Amino acid sequence: MVTGNIFHCRKDSWPPEEYVSRASLHLLDSDSAAPPEQAWRRRLNSHATLLKEFSITFKEAIKMIRLGIRMWSYIREEASHGRTAPINPFNRESCKPSASQGVPLGGMGSGSISRGFRGEFKHWQIIPGTCETSPMMANQFSIFISRDGGNRKYASVLAPGHHEGLGKSGDQGISSWGWNLSGQHSTYHALFPRAWTVYDGEPDPDLKVSCRQISPFIPHNYRDSSLPTAVFVYTLVNTGKERAKVSLLFTWANSVGGVSHLSGDHVNEPFIGEDGVSGVLLHHKTARDNPPVTFAIAACETQNVNVTVLPCFGLSEGSCITAKDMWGKMVQDGQFDRANFDTGPSMPSSPGDTHCAAVSASAWVEPHGKCTVAFALAWSSPKIRFLKGKSYHRRYTKFYGTSERAALDLVHDALTNYKRWEEEIEKWQSPILGDERLPEWYKFTLFNELYFLVSGGTVWIDSSIPALDAGCNQHQPIAVENRNIRITEAKIHRKQSTRSKHSTIDAFDSSAGSSSDSNDESSGKDESAIVQSRQSKQSADPSEDVGGFLYLEGVEYIMWCTYDVHFYASYALLMLFPKIELSIQRDFAKAVLCEDERKVKFLAEGNYGIRKARGAVPHDLGTHDPWHEMNAYNIHDTSQWKDLNPKFVLQVYRDFAVTGDLSFGVDVWPSVRAAMEYMDQFDRDNDHLIENDGFPDQTYDAWTVHGVSAYCGCLWLAALQAAAAMALQLGDQEFAERCKDKFVKARSVFEAKLWNGSYFNYDSGSSSNSKSIQADQLAGQWYTASSALPNLFSDSKIKSALQKIYDFNVMKVQGGRMGAVNGMHPNGKVDETCMQSREIWTGVTYAVAATMILAGMEEEAFTTAEGIFIGGWSEEGYGYSFQTPEGWTMDGHFRSLTYMRPLAIWGMQWALSLPKAILEAPKINIMDSINTSPQSHSRSSHQETSIRKITTKAKCFGNSMFRCAC
C-alpha cells in the first residue's frame, strides 16, 4: 500500500468570501463583476512551484535503450529537414513548467495564448504544432490612480513583480515600470471560459478593481467559438471620499512568443474604429515562411472613458521612445497624446529590437461611484501552413475574410458582443453549477478541464481545400505527392446524401441560429487524403459543414486527433460541439478505407512496414501534413494494435445512437464493417475473441500484453455488440447476425479465461503481472452503458470488478487522494512492470469514475475522480491546473503536460445526464432482437437491398485525393 500525508484534509467548498472581503464582493455584485460562487481560486502572491517531471527506473531504461537510440536518430533526421519529431523525450524547455497557469484566451482553432493566474501571457500557440512557453513580460495591464489634485498617486503593473529579468538598475525596459503589487490582497477566480482577478484595495486601498476575462467558447455556436479574441472588462469601485482619476494601460509586444519579437520587420499602426473602439494593430512577420499575424489591442471609448494610444515604444536604450519613457508619461499625465492616432504605420523594426504598443483608457470615478472599462485583444492569422507545405484558411475567415487586418473587426465585435457571449455562457453553465447533488470541486473542474479545447494546439479550418498563394486558381486540384496511397471499395457502398429528417443532432444544439456553418471538401479527383468528400455534402446541406477540426494529443506529443486518446476525450465534443465530433468521426471513417504503402521504420523494434493499412484505424491524422499523411506515431506499427478499431466502432455507434443522424450512420457504415472485418486476423484460435501479440499493442504502449486481455478483449466484445446494433438499425441483417454470433461465443471465452471471481485478470498469459488489477479493464462496458446497449456482463460482475478497482487501485494510493493507479497486484502492491503500469492516468481515472456512475456507484465514482482534483488542481496538490498531464507517478511527478485524455471528465457528466435519445432507447436487449433463424436470412436480403438503395451510385470516394482501387 502506498502511504503518505501530503494531502492532510479534504475541502468541500471554496467560497469567494475566503479570498475576497464580503464588503468588496457586495460592491462588485453587479454586471458579473464579482467572481462566481464556484470557481478555482488562487491568491496572486501564491508561490508558483516548479513542476517535477517523471523519470524512468534503471530497469526500464535498460529495456528501452534500443528504442532510445533509434528515436534519437529519428529526431535528428527530422531536425535536418527543419521538422520537429512528434515525440521528443530528449527536449527540455528553457522555461521550466511551473504551477502558474490560468484560463487561456480565445476561441477554438485559431491559435491560442495562455494567461497565468498572476497575469502573464504565455504558452503561445499561434503557429500549429508550436508552443512557445515563456511569458512575454512586456504584455501587461497596469493602473495609474491620481487623487487629491495629484497629491496622492499610485502606479503599478497589475501583476506581482516576481519574475526573472526584472529589477535591473537603470534599465530602460520593463524593469523601470512600477512592479508594486504584492498580490496579498489580490485573487484569481477561474471558471472556463471566463476568469476574474479581484484587486481588493491594491495598489490603492480606496479602490476596488475587478478584471473579468471573457473568451468566446460557446457550446453549439460554431461561429463565435472560432474567433481568436478575448475581452477584459474592468470594474472600478471608488470607496474613498474623493473622486479619483483612474487610467488603465494595456501594453503588448509585437511577438508570437519566444524570441520572435527580435526578428525584425514588424510594424505597428494606430487606428480609430467604429463605436468608440480604438487601439493599435501590430503586424508581425513570422519566421520560416509561416503566414503573417496581426494583433489588435483596443479599448472602447464611452462618455466617461477616454482612449489614447502610444503606437510604438521599445525595450532597449536605443529606442526612440523607451518603455521607461512610456511609463513616465502615464505616471505624469495618465494618458497619451491624441495626435498619436494620426502617426500612421511605424517604421519596420530592426533585427534585435522590439516594437511594443500601448492603449490607455482613463476615467473619473466619483466617491462611492463605479465605472466600467473594456479592453479587447485579437489576433488574425488567417492562413495556417503545415511544415510539409499545405496551407488552409482558418474557420473564422468564413465570417471575417482572409486579411490579417480582420483583427480590427474582431476586436470591435468582441467589445460590442461580449455581453451576449456571457449570457450564453451563463445559460450553459447555470444548470450544472446549480445542481446541489454535485460536489463543488467537480463543478468547476468540469468546466476548467475544457481549457484543452483552446490550449491543446487546436486547428479549425474553414475548408479542406488548401489555401493557394495569391494569383493561383483557388479551385485548382492539388496533385498527390505519392501514388502509393489509395482507397479501396467498401462492401456496402457509401452514400453521398443529405442528413436524415429524423436526425436528432439539433437536440444538443441549444443555440439555434447561432451560426451558418459551411463544409470543407474539395472536388478534385486527384486531391489527397480524407478531407474532400465533405464538399459533396456542402452542396446538399451547407449548414452541416463545420470545416475540419484538429487537436493535439498533447503539447509534448504533437500528433493530431490521436484516436486512442480521443476515445476518452470525445464526450466533451459530443456534448458541446456534436457537429465537430461527427466531422472527426467522418475523417477517421474515410481513413479506414485508405491505404498508404509508403515505408515507415518503427522505432520499438527497428522493423519496417507500410504507413497505413486498409481496414486499420489510424493512430492519428498526422503531424506535418494532417489528413494527407496519417500515422505520425511510429514507435509501434499501430495497424497491429488491438484497441483502435473497436474504439472506432464504439464511438461511431455512440454518436449515431445519440444524434439519430441516419446520413452519418450510412456514410460511415462501410468503414465500420471494414474495421470489424480487419480484426478477424487477430483471432488466432478461432474462438471469436481477439488476442494480443506479446507487445504493447494498445494505448498503453509501454505495457506488454499476452493472449486475451481485459482491456482489448472488453473493447472487442463491446464493439461486436455495437456493430450488431448498428447493422440492425441500418438494415444489414446478415452482418448483425454474424456479430451477434461472435459476441455470444467470445463473451463466454473472455469470462472463462479472465474472470477470477472478483475482477478480470490483466491478461491470460503467465507473466508476473497477468493477474494484475487494471483500472481500465471495463473500458468497453463504459461505452456500452453510455450508448444504451445491454451490459456486457452481469451486474454483479461489473460491480465486483469496479469495487476491486476502487478498493485497490484507488484507495490503496494515498487513501484515494491521487486517482486510480493503472495497475495493482492483488496483494496491494503497485504493478511496477513498466512505466505506465505504475502511473496514475488522469483521463483513465475520470473514465473509471464514469463507469462507476453508470453502474450506480456514485459515491465511489466521485471519490475516485476527486483524487485527480486533489492531486492536480487543489492548493495542496502538485500544481497541474490548466495543464493537466497524461499522468503522474506515486510521488506526483508528471508525464506529458497539457494532454487530451483528461477531457474524459465529460464522460462523467454524460453518465450523470444521459441524453434523451439514450434514456428513451428501447428497454430491450437489442441482441435478442437479432433473429438468427433461417427465415431471418431471407428478410436480411431484403433489408440489405434497402440500404443499398439508400446508398445507390456511390461506389467509392470518387472525389478523393487518393487513387481509388475499385
Side-chain angles (χ1 to χ4, degrees), residues 515-814:
S515 67
S516 58
D517 308 315
S518 78
N519 228 340
D520 58 292
E521 292 306 325
S522 72
S523 59
K525 185 175 181 180
D526 291 327
E527 293 174 310
S528 172
I530 58 178
V531 290
Q532 58 286 349
S533 67
R534 296 192 193 102
Q535 190 179 22
S536 62
K537 198 176 301 293
Q538 181 178 18
S539 60
D541 192 351
S543 67
E544 289 309 298
D545 173 34
V546 293
F549 191 88
L550 301 169
Y551 66 145
L552 291 174
E553 179 177 337
V555 295
E556 298 177 32
Y557 294 168
I558 309 171
M559 295 164 284
W560 301 110
C561 294
T562 299
Y563 200 72
D564 56 306
V565 184
H566 180 68
F567 173 79
Y568 297 84
S570 60
Y571 284 90
L573 285 174
L574 181 58
M575 294 187 75
L576 305 178
F577 298 95
K579 294 179 184 178
I580 290 177
E581 165 63 9
L582 293 190
S583 173
I584 292 174
Q585 299 300 349
R586 288 181 189 274
D587 285 347
F588 276 91
K590 297 162 202 163
V592 168
L593 303 181
C594 297
E595 184 169 88
D596 185 344
E597 296 178 349
R598 287 175 287 185
K599 295 295 183 181
V600 174
K601 182 178 182 179
F602 300 112
L603 303 180
E605 300 297 333
N607 59 313
Y608 286 83
I610 65 172
R611 178 174 290 279
K612 167 68 177 67
R614 185 198 180 277
V617 174
H619 172 274
D620 55 79
L621 292 180
T623 292
H624 301 307
D625 195 7
W627 294 297
H628 301 258
E629 185 179 271
M630 295 169 281
N631 280 336
Y633 177 92
N634 62 346
I635 294 178
H636 299 289
D637 180 359
T638 59
S639 70
Q640 299 299 303
W641 276 19
K642 311 307 184 291
D643 64 335
L644 287 168
N645 283 35
K647 285 176 175 177
F648 168 71
V649 175
L650 288 170
Q651 289 182 74
V652 163
Y653 179 75
R654 178 204 58 190
D655 297 355
F656 171 64
V658 75
T659 63
D661 191 334
L662 184 59
S663 174
F664 169 74
V666 171
D667 286 350
V668 302
W669 179 242
S671 300
V672 172
R673 282 197 59 156
M676 292 298 291
E677 289 164 353
Y678 183 86
M679 296 299 291
D680 288 343
Q681 64 182 299
F682 303 124
D683 176 13
R684 312 295 187 190
D685 51 7
N686 297 317
D687 61 359
H688 304 292
L689 187 62
I690 61 170
E691 285 85 35
N692 294 84
D693 285 328
F695 75 100
D697 49 358
Q698 24 75 44
T699 193
Y700 299 89
D701 59 349
W703 198 357
T704 298
V705 197
H706 299 274
V708 176
S709 72
Y711 182 68
C712 295
C714 188
L715 288 170
W716 174 242
L717 292 177
L720 284 170
Q721 187 167 243
M726 192 169 181
L728 186 67
Q729 294 174 61
L730 291 177
D732 194 344
Q733 181 74 22
E734 178 272 331
F735 194 74
E737 292 168 5
R738 194 192 314 172
C739 289
K740 175 184 176 179
D741 182 61
K742 287 184 177 181
F743 171 79
V744 172
K745 295 175 181 176
R747 180 171 61 179
S748 64
V749 175
F750 181 86
E751 291 184 335
K753 289 191 174 183
L754 296 181
W755 182 251
N756 61 22
S758 59
Y759 66 95
F760 294 101
N761 290 336
Y762 176 68
D763 64 28
S764 63
S766 57
S767 62
S768 60
N769 71 319
S770 288
K771 294 184 179 180
S772 286
I773 308 161
Q774 184 178 12
D776 214 1
Q777 63 184 267
L778 291 178
Q781 171 59 29
W782 172 34
Y783 260 72
T784 291
S786 295
S787 306
L789 290 169
N791 286 339
L792 297 177
F793 317 107
S794 66
D795 289 348
S796 60
K797 286 181 178 176
I798 292 169
K799 288 190 175 183
S800 174
L802 290 172
Q803 190 66 49
K804 193 76 173 184
I805 294 165
Y806 178 76
D807 292 340
F808 280 70
N809 301 60
V810 177
M811 298 308 295
K812 290 187 182 294
V813 180
Q814 294 284 13

Side-chain angles (χ1 to χ4, degrees), residues 143-147 152-156 180 203-206 331:
I143 194 167
F144 304 83
I145 307 160
S146 177
R147 294 180 182 270
R152 274 201 301 153
K153 288 189 173 184
Y154 304 88
S156 180
N180 303 317
D204 181 351
D206 293 327
V331 170

Side-chain angles (χ1 to χ4, degrees), residues 835-850:
M835 170 184 72
Q836 292 173 342
S837 63
R838 61 183 173 89
E839 288 180 327
I840 294 161
W841 283 12
T842 53
V844 167
T845 298
Y846 287 143
V848 170

Side-chain angles (χ1 to χ4, degrees), residues 893-963:
H893 294 187
F894 73 88
R895 182 169 63 82
S896 187
L897 289 173
T898 315
Y899 196 79
M900 182 198 294
R901 205 182 316 250
L903 284 171
I905 192 173
W906 280 86
M908 294 179 65
Q909 189 60 25
W910 178 278
L912 290 164
S913 56
L914 288 171
K916 185 177 180 181
I918 299 299
L919 290 173
E920 296 183 354
K923 306 301 181 185
I924 61 172
N925 190 326
I926 197 165
M927 301 299 283
D928 293 339
S929 66
I930 301 174
N931 192 338
T932 57
S933 64
Q935 290 82 1
S936 69
H937 290 282
S938 61
R939 290 197 302 271
S940 73
S941 175
H942 169 74
Q943 290 168 328
E944 187 171 353
T945 301
S946 67
I947 194 171
R948 288 182 183 274
K949 287 181 178 178
I950 292 176
T951 60
T952 184
K953 296 183 181 179
K955 294 185 177 180
C956 64
F957 297 124
N959 59 346
S960 171
M961 291 182 187
F962 288 120
R963 288 293 187 185

